[in-house]
Amino acid sequence: MTDLLIIGAGLAGLTAGWHAAKAGQRVKVIAKGMGVTHWHAGTIDVLGYTADGAGVSRLLEAIATLPAEHSYGLLGEERIASALSAFTTLTAEIGLPYAGAHNPGENLWLPSPVGAARPTFLAPLGQVAGDLSTSQPLLVVGIEGMRDFYPKLIAENLSKQGHTARHAFLPLSLFTPRQDVTTLQLAKLVEEPSRLAQLAEGLARLVKPGERVGLPAVLGFEDHPAVLARLQEVTGAPVFEIPTLPPSVPGIRLHSRLRRHLEQMGVRVEVGMEAIGFGTNGDRIAWVETETSSRPLKHRATNFLLATGGILGGGINSDHTGRAWEVVFDLPLTIPQARDGWFRPHFLDGGGQPVFRGGVSVNQHFQPIHPDRTPVYTNLWAAGGILSGADPIRERSVEGIAVATGTSIAYSVLRSQDNDG
Amino acid sequence: MIIAYALRNTHHPPVIHQREKITMISPSLSTEILVIGGGATGTGVAWDAALRGFATILVEKRDLTHGTTGRYHGLLHSGGRYVVKDPHSAVECIAENRILRRTHTHCIEDTSGFFVVTPEDEGDYPDRFLAACAETGVPCKEISVAQALRREPLLNPRISRVFEVPDGAADSFLATHATAQAARQAGARILTYHQVVGLLMDGGEGDKRVTGAVVRDTVSDETIHIRADLVINASGAWAGQIAQMAGVGVKIIPGKGVMVATNHRLVNTVINRCKMPSDGDILVPVHTVSIIGTTDEKVADPENLVITPGEVQFMLAEGDKLVPGLSRARIVRAWAGVRPLYQEGFSGDSRDATRSLTLLDHKARDGVRGFLTITGGKWTTFRMMAEKTIDRACEHLGVERACTTASTPVPGIEQGHYWLGHRLHEVEAEALQGGLVCECELVTRQMVESAARRNPTVTLDDLRRDVRLGMGPCQGGFCTYRAVGILHEIGRERHDPDFVLEGEADAEEWEVAYLQSPAQSSKGQSITAHATPGATTESALPTRSPAIDRRSPVSNPNLLLRDFLQERWKGVLPVLWGRQLKQERLDELIYLSLMNADHLPDAAAQSPMTGFYRGGDGEKKIVNGE
């Protein structure tokens, strides 16, 4: 018998699974796909911009000003801080350590693939040296013919923002005779000792004293920390990764190490299983049914965590009549049921698109609720992108909401079982 | 000329022989014929005029085809659609259909067309249709429903009759660019992003004469005077506004048409409902998509067209009658164009206005000499419209010169009819996968570079029209960043001493015959030079591009990025639900969260298109700024 069945293998589901498994729960994760981590920067964005568009420097101070229905409002600063701290521990455990800004509690400002400064709270050690809060000159090195990274653009925009930055190229032939390589293939090629030596040597010739070196985020896959250390040793300069157009190597690194870690702890993670139905027993979910290649399967559990993501993750679907629905349990949504009110005329409108603020409403335990605030099911919880009350992409809180709600729910579930027991 | 070229880089020798009839006395130009409007009609008029030996200048306020030409469903009419309701149009269509297949072969896909009788189409229309086809000379053959379903398996199986006609699918972007290149080769000058802000007039009441136009370069913000013996107003839905500048009333009936594109070709044949032309009754396979068209609504303003959720739902419901399930297909985009319909003294619905062309001779009609307006018609008849216009121009200018456009192919026709697999075939045959910047539409880096270098480029949207960048299911999600990065890499530093001042790219940089061909672009070939296989791109192309750095907006990557994101947003906004909404959210993740593109420098920079994309304010500011 499963104690906790998690639907969704994104950061929310995996974080919750880790905490629950560590506390001795029998956990199973089922998922249709991989979650948003593969498409993002591999960082933990907690809150980058407030509702009025101001950049967030001191995180907890900004979080305190959020409305009560925001996931962070429901959690409170203490639970958020402890979730982030636990996540840092987790990254060290999986051999992919994350760190924050030099001044604790502040955001990092890291170069984006177009050379803007993107606010994030925790980043893999391989990205931290890019922090634009310091004034060290930057050399951005690209790979000729690589279509997902443009160093000249990054360097020019950094210069326009007052940084000292220049760019250079290394030839793709340094890594492969092929022309059509993906970022992930490049990352694996870089790990081969002869190629790594050539890369290090090439960089050493380019870098000037006092510079730090930014490279596309393809610096190894399994051996990323070793690749990074080797490049810093040979060049004598701080070396850091800048994210590329997706798929994201740092994101895939994080996801695959987390998944492997959970599996080593005895958690089953089944990807390629889409939840297609469920059964109830009174006010409780009894089972969730999934579609597999051979036959439908029923998964029974004591508690169920919905971590399927919002519109992007596939947890919410919609049609041309303006109907929007939650795909597994058909939970009540806060999205208006008419397309007229979903959007604003400008893509970059600072207020975001209204449709993306909608989602599943929850109580302070993160149980989905009806409009009258009673729980829909007593053993169902919801975490991450599917939650109502925030537009995580606009405010740059995608991973922060996932990690903080995933962590918190794991403990809420444990407490509920203690009470039941 | 000499002054202008003195500032040029010396490795670009001037090509003066093509322009000897144009004298340049800064800040004014003079010519025999000035054409206003860079759609299919205006470009066709410039082509015809130049072929007949007239010194010709064409001005267009945005990019070629930015108006109605670039916003139609892509049907090469057989005439079948009009045989009952507007037989005169039908006769024009089938004649031009035959000619364009010869002169613009590579811009046309020979799809053929069906007229199908659905259960909702009752009455004697099918028999009248058949008889009218015979009368108008539109080839039409009834085929069995079983045969039609074998060719188009998604077609509604409940249809009762099917008629086949020689409809086709046209690439109006490519065709207009090819026509423009042909016009340039014949000596015409084409000035895009040049907006007419006033007409030059001589004479008093009763003896007025249009002698040219005041034109603003919307990129450099400079104003030039263009003197002309004859001004031809081919500005489509904007023709009334231009005529007004001469004090002449031309009442265009602007008929808004909404079109919706699915992310697949649901059919390979044009499908029409066999009934009186109405809303949502035609499905055209164009390149990788199929387009359901169209509505017809009289609107007040040809700019800033709004598409409502209701209009899209209506089109999808009508589409379901042709291809059941169409409304559940993934929709990639919706857009609207405005037909420039004209009927003297007409006051009814735009759907009932004639589709025939109208040539207004303002000397006879209004007592204003030196000024013609050509309007009405449709894409399929653009060449005929141009022929009739220049026939009249010859009368005005007192010369007799025969039209040769019907027997003069535009550059590129040796590629044969367009076929869907041509890009994939070339990408695989030449192993160009590594250069793909737009996986949806198979656009390579070399195609982007070549298009930007070889014809005037101000925004990424210009490149979209050139090579179909960003027109697939992800609507620019991945290629926007790549195209911006590439253009920035090949762009020249600002404040370059060789900065080119002349308002036009050289002929060798205006090369559009192979814009659509990954293989030709990868070889960096022009129409005349055939590089040996394996020759590198660098050796065949200029290393720096006047077409890129001459105009400031394209040299600012942040502006390019913002404009194109907004331009794409405009077109997906009416069709965001289901998988396309999920795709849009991924684009937000990439451009907002990952790139932080809403916090880039140069937030205040504006291109000539910024206001247009934003809709409203910006555009008005430009107009008021004069």
Side-chain angles (χ1 to χ4, degrees), chain A residues 172-244:
Chain A
L172 184 61
S173 56
L174 211 57
F175 308 98
T176 171
R178 291 178 53 182
Q179 292 295 312
D180 56 332
V181 285
T182 65
T183 46
L184 192 59
Q185 287 166 333
L186 265 176
K188 290 177 177 171
L189 286 168
V190 164
E191 290 179 340
E192 293 178 24
S194 62
R195 294 199 178 95
L196 178 58
Q198 280 185 321
L199 171 61
E201 209 175 290
L203 284 181
R205 276 200 298 270
L206 289 171
V207 67
K208 291 178 186 163
E211 280 181 331
R212 48 179 159 164
V213 185
L215 285 154
V218 296
L219 301 183
F221 186 67
E222 289 293 342
D223 298 333
H224 164 64
V227 169
L228 199 66
R230 178 84 187 134
L231 292 179
Q232 310 210 95
E233 183 192 321
V234 175
T235 59
V239 173
F240 63 96
E241 288 188 316
I242 300 173
T244 64

Side-chain angles (χ1 to χ4, degrees), chain A residues 396-421:
Chain A
R396 279 43 161 193
S397 64
V398 171
E399 294 84 7
I401 288 180
V403 165
T405 57
T407 303
S408 180
I409 288 165
Y411 291 103
S412 293
V413 171
L414 288 171
R415 274 195 302 278
S416 81
Q417 284 189 333
D418 291 347
N419 295 343
D420 288 350

